[in-house]
Amino acid sequence: MERNFNDWIKQFKSSICDYGYYVDFEKVYGKIDSIKVELNILNSLVGSHDIEADFSKLVSDYPQVLKCIPILLAVRGREIYAIDGDGEYLFNFAKPNYGIEEYRMFMRKTGLFKLISERVINNLVDYVTGVEVGLDSNGRKNRGGHLMENLVESYLIKAGLRRGVDYFKEMYISDIEKKWSMNLSSISNQGKAEKRFDFVVKKGGTVYGIETNFYTGGGSKLNETARSYKTIALEAKEIDGFAFVWFTDGKGWLSARHNLEETFDVMENVYCIAELENGVANRLFKD
């Protein structure tokens, strides 16, 4: 059945954020567990009336607590640089490179002594959990890049395909050629461009090279993607036993709809999420 581009693009979604997109709590808990003992030792300073002296004694007895200091400032890593009128320092919190006095100065000038001694916080484990949640939110962009891949893979599995048997993830053209004795040189520019497909499905007598993406916003990349995939689609039509499949979606395409329409007009196997929901993977990859 012939599809209408305007009807097709109207089905595009504004977001595909799943439940794990916002915060990876397992990752957060893992980071907390790795320093929980040291944080609980530092908890003894909460509400201290002589925090500088108490800190000096604590670090002297338990120097390993220093490794917790960077995360109190929402800093990942073991080193922190600081400079002011009193000098320039590069503090190492994994392998102390200054005396206790310098680390005490660091705690004073960064405001950590005040935070801890004046009971602005009551428990450093809880405080760092909040810090880690905030830092993890910065990873949403990276997680977002995999959302469409994960969604497509879930439909491949629903269609009865088995990873490593019927479908393969992140496979290069050269690997496809070796595994199934195919010549994909027209796609790889005679071997000069080593393209990698997000997924490759082998079903029946056909090898399917699959690309996936989702765009929430516009930009030049969308036009480049549409043109590139149009070229691949045309080249793939000349290869026996190979088909190019593109799963894409997202309201970002509204700003590049003309380039997308050009690809839609020449590409047989370009689909959106609504079509995945309606079973296109079952129909496309049937025996």
Side-chain angles (χ1 to χ4, degrees):
M1 182 178 68
E2 185 175 346
R3 297 181 298 167
N4 178 275
F5 176 78
N6 291 322
D7 293 336
W8 182 67
I9 200 171
K10 285 179 183 177
Q11 303 175 90
F12 281 22
K13 301 180 184 297
S14 58
S15 174
I16 52 170
C17 296
D18 60 15
Y19 296 102
Y21 167 76
Y22 300 97
V23 175
D24 184 346
F25 279 108
E26 291 306 312
K27 181 180 176 183
V28 168
Y29 298 148
K31 290 185 177 297
I32 297 299
D33 287 343
S34 69
I35 56 171
K36 182 177 286 187
V37 171
E38 290 78 9
L39 286 173
N40 277 308
I41 293 173
L42 277 176
N43 266 335
S44 65
L45 297 177
V46 173
S48 170
H49 297 295
D50 190 2
I51 194 166
E52 298 218 9
D54 291 342
F55 175 81
S56 296
K57 185 176 187 308
L58 191 69
V59 172
S60 178
D61 293 341
Y62 305 100
Q64 68 270 26
V65 300
L66 285 176
K67 72 178 185 180
C68 300
I69 302 303
I71 195 61
L72 299 181
L73 296 171
V75 173
R76 295 225 188 272
R78 62 182 63 185
E79 294 183 328
I80 295 181
Y81 173 85
I83 184 173
D84 65 5
D86 292 330
E88 180 179 7
Y89 295 87
L90 181 61
F91 294 90
N92 191 310
F93 292 90
K95 296 180 180 180
N97 55 338
Y98 298 113
I100 291 178
E101 172 57 35
E102 284 76 19
Y103 284 96
R104 195 165 62 190
M105 174 187 70
F106 178 91
M107 297 290 288
R108 183 190 320 119
K109 289 188 174 183
T110 56
L112 287 175
F113 273 160
K114 184 175 182 180
L115 176 76
I116 297 170
S117 65
E118 296 187 9
R119 292 188 181 275
V120 177
I121 55 174
N122 293 314
N123 185 292
L124 287 169
V125 176
D126 293 343
Y127 169 79
V128 172
T129 299
V131 170
E132 286 289 358
V133 167
L135 288 174
D136 186 75
S137 68
N138 294 329
R140 288 176 187 167
K141 183 176 181 181
N142 292 332
R143 287 195 289 271
H146 295 289
L147 287 175
M148 189 64 171
E149 286 184 26
N150 295 340
L151 184 63
V152 169
E153 186 169 14
S154 71
Y155 281 100
L156 295 180
I157 294 171
K158 284 183 178 180
L161 304 182
R162 299 159 295 172
R163 186 169 182 173
V165 178
D166 304 303
Y167 80 91
F168 305 82
K169 193 169 183 179
E170 296 181 347
M171 201 169 189
Y172 286 96
I173 282 180
S174 59
D175 296 323
I176 298 172
E177 291 178 321
K178 292 174 185 176
K179 188 172 182 64
W180 291 292
S181 300
M182 304 188 76
N183 182 0
L184 303 181
S185 59
S186 60
I187 295 177
S188 64
N189 190 20
Q190 306 306 314
K192 296 177 183 177
E194 179 65 307
K195 177 169 179 54
R196 185 186 71 181
F197 290 102
D198 292 332
F199 297 98
V200 173
V201 169
K202 175 64 167 68
K203 207 64 177 172
T206 304
V207 174
Y208 300 88
I210 301 172
E211 286 291 333
T212 69
N213 42 49
F214 186 95
Y215 295 107
T216 56
S220 60
K221 182 174 176 59
L222 283 78
N223 291 322
E224 294 169 9
T225 298
R227 285 192 293 265
S228 172
Y229 288 2
K230 176 182 177 181
T231 300
I232 295 175
L234 293 172
E235 292 168 341
K237 287 182 178 181
E238 307 301 318
I239 303 173
D240 291 335
F242 182 81
F244 179 47
V245 181
W246 183 20
F247 293 108
T248 193
D249 210 304
K251 294 293 187 181
W253 278 115
L254 296 179
S255 66
R257 60 181 296 136
H258 297 301
N259 288 82
L260 181 60
E261 185 172 9
E262 287 182 11
T263 305
F264 179 88
D265 288 341
V266 302
M267 188 172 178
E268 180 182 355
N269 295 314
V270 54
Y271 305 104
C272 64
I273 293 172
E275 289 167 306
L276 279 168
E277 294 170 342
N278 290 327
V280 71
N282 299 70
R283 297 189 296 273
L284 186 61
F285 304 123
K286 64 183 178 180
D287 291 321

